[in-house]
């Protein structure tokens, strides 16, 4: 039997092999390195040793050194310094000298120095760059720094700050001076921003703001940006410090901060962090929010009195309303102001607060203020025939109507019903009693109601305000009859 075998084909000898896959892989790695390090891709015949590169530095031939070679040199110089201790400092001084006219090298050295002082190893991973820098370059940096001028002043200042014992605290102070967050400041200087000192510096921001009692627009916006960059734990601690240390006298100038705090921490919002506050912080935040909201109400009343031609009786009633609610300012969690078009036209540019337009119903002209007092809402009709206040329980449908996007009219609001509190003469004790029955109390530590004569304004937490005298009550009863007739007409 004859067997026929196919001819065997042997692979080429090793001398004929072409490592194409390995070559392509290495080219991809080099291309990625070039992109990540933002360096020019220059074809060279063969890689040069660190000795050759440093020889060029010593001979003043830095133009012959590519950016990729600089990367290698900075990486390898630590070992080179160990082998050439007598030349370590001198060659580093020469590198800093090159950096004076080579911006790319200079900012790479600045970047490495910032990472060196950060002592935060994960930063090197985040930026995919080496955080090591030869100690000889660190030691010779001060000689370079004293000659720095112009735009390099900020990065040099920040690097010096990062090298200090109280780096985070000092970084926070510079952050305030420039009105940039610590991260923004480092980014402006082309330095890594995700370093430990920048994060820790945020812990000092509230103290700086409170100590200097800052309140202009740029300072307020700076504080808000800092708060928004904090971790949840940092933010809560900082807000507690602000609430404890910032003077209540400047709260009215911090409306943007208070509005932000209300969005984040007010108990009326379902996802708020209110429960994480201490009792004192809760009390202070309520006071801040109330101060701002009452301030809007007070501003509106003062404008109406000043800008509208009102009878003396209406002016007095507006003043009484303004003064009465001053005693409850800490309780006002939200406020909505609704004005008829005629009032908007009269107040014009003087009106610098947010208001809504009242839907006209052709029955009366009145401004309306809605207070959120927690478990209840108060709707104040400031003028017109009724001039009453209505107390409404907190219910989802009522809340949506009162503080939702819908346009409201006086008639629609009255259709909600509620318990009515008149504004007929000597009305304050009656209104205070109604609120007290609903567990709505005046601001703490009130002995006398603001806006009332001393004999009428004495307040007792158990018994409330003093009742009108018999003569005053007789006058009130007579006017209440007329008021009830007017209310019947309005509610038809």
């Amino acid at each position: 039997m004859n067997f026929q075998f196919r001819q065997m084909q042997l692979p080429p000898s090793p001398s004929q092999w072409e490592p194409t896959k390995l070559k392509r892989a290495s080219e991809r790695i080099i291309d990625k390195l070039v992109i990540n390090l933002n360096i020019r891709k220059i074809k060279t015949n063969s890689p040069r040793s660190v000795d050759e590169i440093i020889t060029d530095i010593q001979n003043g031939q830095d133009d012959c050194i590519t950016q990729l070679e600089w990367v290698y040199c900075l990486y390898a110089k630590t070992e080179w310094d160990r082998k050439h201790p007598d030349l370590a400092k001198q060659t580093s001084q020469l590198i800093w000298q090159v950096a004076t006219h080579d911006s790319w090298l200079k900012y790479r050295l600045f970047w490495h120095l910032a990472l060196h002082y950060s002592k935060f190893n994960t930063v090197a991973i985040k930026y995919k760059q080496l955080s090591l820098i030869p100690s000889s370059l660190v030691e010779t940096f001060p000689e370079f720094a004293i000659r720095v001028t112009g735009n390099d002043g900020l990065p040099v200042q920040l690097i010096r700050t990062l090298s200090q014992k109280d780096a985070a605290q000092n970084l926070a102070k510079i952050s305030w001076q420039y009105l940039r967050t610590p991260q923004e400041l480092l980014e402006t200087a082309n330095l890594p921003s995700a370093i430990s000192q920048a994060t820790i510096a945020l812990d000092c921001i509230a103290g700086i703001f409170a100590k200097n009692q800052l309140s202009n627009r740029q300072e307020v916006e700076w504080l808000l940006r800092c708060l928004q960059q904090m971790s949840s734990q940092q933010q809560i601690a900082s807000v507690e410090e602000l609430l404890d240390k910032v003077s209540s006298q400047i709260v009215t100038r911090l409306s943007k901060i208070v509005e932000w705090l209300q969005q984040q921490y007010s108990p009326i919002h379902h996802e708020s962090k209110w429960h994480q506050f201490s009792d004192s912080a809760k009390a202070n935040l309520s006071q801040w929010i109330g101060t701002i909201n009452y301030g809007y109400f007070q501003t509106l009343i003062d404008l109406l009195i000043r800008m509208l031609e009102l009878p003396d009786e209406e002016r007095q009633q507006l003043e009484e309303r303004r003064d009465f609610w001053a005693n409850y300012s800490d309780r006002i969690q939200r406020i909505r102001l609704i004005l008829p078009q005629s009032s908007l036209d009269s107040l014009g540019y003087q009106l610098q607060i947010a208001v809504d337009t009242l839907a006209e119903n052709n029955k009366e002209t009145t401004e309306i203020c809605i207070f959120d007092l927690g478990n209840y809402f108060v709707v104040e009709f400031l003028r017109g025939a009724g001039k009453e206040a209505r107390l409404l329980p907190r219910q989802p449908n009522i809340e949506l109507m009162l503080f939702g996007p819908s346009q409201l009219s006086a008639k629609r609001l009255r259709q909600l019903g509620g318990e009515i509190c008149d504004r007929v003469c000597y009305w304050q004790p009656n209104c205070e009693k109604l609120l007290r029955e609903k567990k709505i109390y005046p601001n703490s530590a009130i002995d006398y109601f603001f806006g009332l004569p001393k004999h009428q304004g004495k307040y007792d937490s158990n018994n409330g305000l003093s009742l009108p005298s018999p003569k005053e009550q007789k006058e009130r009863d007579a006017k209440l009859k007329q008021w009830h007739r007017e209310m019947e007409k309005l509610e038809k």
Side-chain angles (χ1 to χ4, degrees):
M1 183 178 293
N2 294 325
F3 293 96
Q4 292 184 351
F5 297 96
R6 292 164 57 185
Q7 187 174 1
M8 182 182 296
Q9 298 292 328
L10 296 176
S13 63
S15 62
Q16 297 174 302
W17 288 353
E18 180 69 22
T20 53
K21 290 185 178 180
L22 181 60
K23 189 175 180 181
R24 284 197 297 269
S26 64
E27 288 173 350
R28 285 196 298 270
I29 292 171
I30 292 172
D31 288 341
K32 189 173 182 181
L33 184 64
V34 167
I35 292 170
N36 286 344
L37 298 182
N38 191 25
I39 60 178
R40 297 188 300 272
K41 187 176 180 182
I42 299 175
K43 292 184 178 180
T44 57
N45 293 329
S46 59
R48 296 202 296 165
S49 67
V50 67
D51 291 301
E52 293 175 289
I53 297 170
I54 290 180
T55 298
D56 278 351
I57 295 170
Q58 291 172 313
N59 294 332
Q61 296 177 327
D62 53 275
D63 289 343
C64 300
I65 304 173
T66 67
Q67 291 179 352
L68 190 56
E69 287 176 332
W70 275 119
V71 171
Y72 173 55
C73 178
L74 297 179
Y75 169 75
K77 193 173 187 297
T78 299
E79 180 62 19
W80 189 90
D81 287 349
R82 189 182 65 81
K83 295 178 179 178
H84 307 83
D86 54 329
L87 296 174
K89 181 177 179 180
Q90 179 192 41
T91 50
S92 287
Q93 289 171 329
L94 291 173
I95 290 174
W96 280 115
Q97 187 175 331
V98 174
T100 59
H101 60 263
D102 188 328
S103 296
W104 180 89
L105 175 62
K106 175 176 60 184
Y107 279 95
R108 185 160 192 82
L109 289 169
F110 286 171
W111 185 279
H112 278 300
L113 276 172
L115 293 180
H116 168 78
Y117 287 122
S118 75
K119 298 181 177 63
F120 189 43
N121 295 333
T122 57
V123 174
I125 298 172
K126 175 180 175 62
Y127 289 99
K128 298 181 181 179
Q129 298 191 31
L130 298 170
S131 60
L132 301 176
I133 185 171
S135 58
S136 59
L137 282 168
V138 176
E139 293 165 3
T140 51
F141 169 70
E143 300 173 28
F144 167 84
I146 59 175
R147 301 191 298 272
V148 163
T149 58
N151 295 333
D152 294 335
L154 178 59
V156 166
Q157 180 188 15
L158 293 176
I159 291 169
R160 282 173 164 170
T161 300
L162 294 176
S163 69
Q164 296 165 358
K165 182 179 179 181
D166 298 325
Q169 185 174 359
N170 293 330
L171 182 60
K173 291 178 181 177
I174 301 173
S175 167
W176 164 48
Q177 292 167 5
Y178 283 85
L179 291 179
R180 289 185 172 94
T181 70
Q183 289 86 349
E184 290 170 352
L185 194 64
L186 290 162
E187 288 169 2
T188 300
N190 291 315
L191 297 175
S193 60
I195 57 177
S196 57
Q197 291 94 327
T199 301
I200 300 170
L202 292 171
D203 293 332
C204 308
I205 296 300
I208 291 173
F209 191 92
K211 180 180 179 181
N212 294 279
Q213 297 295 302
L214 308 176
S215 63
N216 70 34
R217 181 180 62 82
Q218 289 182 317
E219 293 163 345
V220 166
E221 290 176 352
W222 166 74
L223 175 62
L224 279 175
R225 294 199 309 277
C226 288
L227 288 169
Q228 290 163 354
Q229 290 183 1
M230 293 178 184
S231 67
S232 179
Q233 187 176 0
Q234 278 183 312
Q235 191 181 96
I236 290 170
S238 296
V239 170
E240 288 238 10
E241 186 173 4
L242 290 168
L243 292 170
D244 180 55
K245 294 182 178 179
V246 171
S247 170
S248 58
Q249 295 178 351
I250 70 166
V251 169
T252 54
R253 301 199 296 273
L254 306 178
S255 58
K256 280 193 174 181
I257 293 176
V258 177
E259 288 169 5
W260 181 82
L261 289 174
Q262 190 169 7
Q263 293 170 1
Q264 301 294 319
Y265 295 96
S266 172
I268 65 175
H269 296 300
H270 299 301
E271 297 182 359
S272 121
K273 305 167 190 172
W274 171 263
H275 64 282
Q276 298 183 46
F277 275 154
S278 64
D279 290 342
S280 62
K282 289 177 180 178
N284 290 334
L285 179 57
S286 294
Q287 185 180 37
W288 278 31
I289 292 172
T291 298
I292 293 295
N293 288 330
Y294 174 76
Y296 297 145
F297 176 68
Q298 181 183 34
T299 298
L300 174 62
I301 297 294
D302 291 344
L303 278 174
L304 293 173
I305 292 172
R306 181 162 58 89
M307 302 295 293
L308 302 185
E309 295 181 2
L310 302 174
D312 289 344
E313 182 182 355
E314 281 197 354
R315 292 169 65 92
Q316 179 182 341
Q317 288 190 353
L318 288 175
E319 289 171 350
E320 287 177 353
R321 225 78 66 88
R322 176 196 65 197
D323 295 345
F324 178 82
W325 287 115
N327 301 289
Y328 292 86
S329 61
D330 293 0
R331 313 298 178 229
I332 304 174
Q333 298 181 9
R334 271 186 299 181
I335 190 170
R336 185 178 182 184
L337 305 173
I338 310 172
L339 276 63
Q341 189 60 50
S342 58
S343 297
L344 289 170
D345 294 339
S346 297
L347 300 183
Y349 72 91
Q350 298 279 354
L351 189 64
Q352 300 292 316
I353 54 178
V355 299
D356 293 319
T357 305
L358 182 70
E360 302 289 349
N361 58 18
N362 298 321
K363 278 196 173 184
E364 61 178 322
T365 298
T366 181
E367 296 78 25
I368 296 172
C369 176
I370 303 173
F371 296 119
D372 181 346
L373 300 181
N375 292 328
Y376 288 87
F377 302 107
V378 171
V379 181
E380 275 275 12
F381 296 83
L382 298 178
R383 294 193 295 143
K387 299 185 287 290
E388 82 275 21
R390 290 175 178 260
L391 191 64
L392 300 164
R394 186 180 206 94
Q395 295 174 0
N397 61 321
I398 293 177
E399 180 178 8
L400 181 61
M401 178 179 288
L402 298 183
F403 285 94
S406 58
Q407 190 178 30
L408 298 173
S409 66
K411 182 177 181 179
R412 190 178 180 191
L413 287 168
R414 285 193 170 102
Q415 287 174 342
L416 292 173
E419 297 184 61
I420 300 176
C421 188
D422 67 85
R423 293 297 182 247
V424 175
C425 62
Y426 312 116
W427 56 268
Q428 290 89 341
N430 186 58
C431 187
E432 182 276 326
K433 180 183 177 183
L434 177 61
L435 294 173
R436 180 161 35 93
E437 289 172 350
K438 306 299 181 184
K439 298 185 179 180
I440 302 171
Y441 303 104
N443 301 342
S444 58
I446 282 188
D447 296 323
Y448 283 88
F449 259 47
F450 178 75
L452 290 176
K454 198 161 187 178
H455 73 282
Q456 294 177 341
K458 183 173 176 56
Y459 173 74
D460 179 84
S461 58
N462 294 319
N463 301 314
L465 286 172
S466 303
L467 296 175
S469 67
K471 181 180 179 181
E472 292 169 339
Q473 187 61 48
K474 185 176 181 179
E475 179 186 356
R476 172 173 164 76
D477 290 341
K479 291 184 177 181
L480 272 174
K481 292 179 181 180
Q482 176 62 29
W483 176 80
H484 281 300
R485 287 193 291 270
E486 291 174 349
M487 288 301 300
E488 287 175 2
K489 294 177 184 178
L490 285 173
E491 293 180 335
K492 285 182 179 179

